[in-house]
Amino acid sequence: MSVTLHDYLPSGNGYKVRLVLRALNQPFRLVEHDIVQGATRTPKFLARNPNGRIPLLELEDGTCISESHAICWYLAEAHASRLLPDELLARTRVMEWLCFEQYNLEPNVAVRRFQRHSLNKPPGMLGEAGEKWLRDGHAALAVVETRLEGREWLVGDEPTLADYCLYAYTHVADEGDFDLRRHYPRIVAWLERVAALPGHVPITWRPPG
Ligand SMILES: N[C@@H](CCC(=O)N[C@@H](CS)C(=O)NCC(=O)O)C(=O)O
């Protein structure tokens, strides 16, 4: 038996959990839900997660954990992984980046990408919201670019949850019209480092079986 991940393959939030499970070398069963068709809003899904969203990790005893970063944190703790540093201030720095991702990066970079890539809307149809996502998304990416000056990883000298969790939407930012190669050379180099880590899989990967 292994854990079950309720997910939607193009989701960066889901991909964070897939990346961390792979980094921890943990097998998992993937159950896909078509969020565009409202599959996470059914009574059956809402009984597992009243917030109606993937990713959702279902443990072997049926316990469910929602919120991508809570799931990743749980997995790193459960497997006593080095993805969470021992030292308090370093762990707090990881949490800082996870909060930043959820408040500044994901709501802009991921939301614009969802509209452009998953819903296939042209830029002109996004209106003022589309402009705001672009502006605020660039501001968030600039913070990451600055952080990476003279460093390989976001926290400390080794990859942590912060790198895995910020990688997920940053690596597909181009799908939301954020031109990484043009504006963010350090981010591009960091993305390549994350992609070279053991167990790495692309966002389109499904576990066997
Ligand atoms: N803060 C949550 C966000 C989860 C979320 O927004 N999930 C989206 C896909 S990326 C979803 O399930 N949307 C379906 C819906 O809202 O019906 C996390 O980090 O997991």
Side-chain angles (χ1 to χ4, degrees):
M1 277 263 285
S2 59
V3 295
T4 299
L5 179 63
H6 297 272
D7 204 346
Y8 171 65
L9 213 57
S11 163
N13 285 320
Y15 183 42
K16 294 167 192 172
V17 182
R18 280 171 258 149
L19 284 174
V20 168
L21 282 163
R22 291 280 305 174
L24 298 173
N25 204 15
Q26 292 301 307
F28 63 101
R29 191 168 74 98
L30 187 73
V31 176
E32 294 180 55
H33 301 266
D34 188 349
I35 63 169
V36 179
Q37 300 301 324
T40 54
R41 301 293 166 153
T42 62
K44 190 173 170 203
F45 193 95
L46 290 169
R48 287 191 172 115
N49 180 11
N51 198 26
R53 288 178 170 82
I54 57 87
L56 185 70
L57 188 74
E58 188 175 346
L59 306 182
E60 290 174 18
D61 68 357
T63 302
C64 287
I65 306 172
S66 64
E67 295 293 328
S68 57
H69 292 167
I71 299 169
C72 291
W73 194 281
Y74 170 85
L75 289 168
E77 289 269 16
H79 297 283
S81 159
R82 291 173 67 89
L83 297 183
L84 278 177
D86 289 334
E87 199 255 320
L88 176 60
L89 185 59
R91 283 168 94 83
T92 305
R93 293 276 177 245
V94 172
M95 179 59 85
E96 264 183 352
W97 282 107
L98 301 187
C99 293
F100 167 84
E101 198 271 357
Q102 289 281 285
Y103 194 76
N104 297 87
L105 199 136
E106 197 261 15
N108 298 302
V109 173
V111 171
R112 187 171 164 112
R113 169 200 176 236
F114 182 73
Q115 297 289 325
R116 293 280 290 116
H117 182 72
S118 301
L119 302 183
N120 211 12
K121 290 189 189 165
M125 261 185 74
L126 302 181
E128 280 182 27
E131 290 301 314
K132 185 175 185 315
W133 295 327
L134 202 55
R135 192 175 60 245
D136 292 354
H138 272 299
L141 290 167
V143 170
V144 180
E145 180 75 4
T146 301
R147 173 64 175 178
L148 290 169
E149 185 173 355
R151 13 180 0 119
E152 294 206 338
W153 309 107
L154 290 172
V155 178
D157 298 330
E158 291 180 40
T160 66
L161 276 193
D163 299 289
Y164 288 91
C165 290
L166 272 82
Y167 175 88
Y169 279 115
T170 307
H171 95 292
V172 286
D174 295 71
E175 294 174 359
D177 308 313
F178 299 92
D179 188 342
L180 295 179
R181 294 210 165 269
R182 180 161 172 213
H183 300 290
Y184 307 109
R186 291 184 211 121
I187 289 182
V188 171
W190 164 75
L191 291 175
E192 285 168 7
R193 281 193 290 280
V194 177
L197 290 171
H200 183 85
V201 286
I203 193 167
T204 49
W205 177 88
R206 290 181 172 90

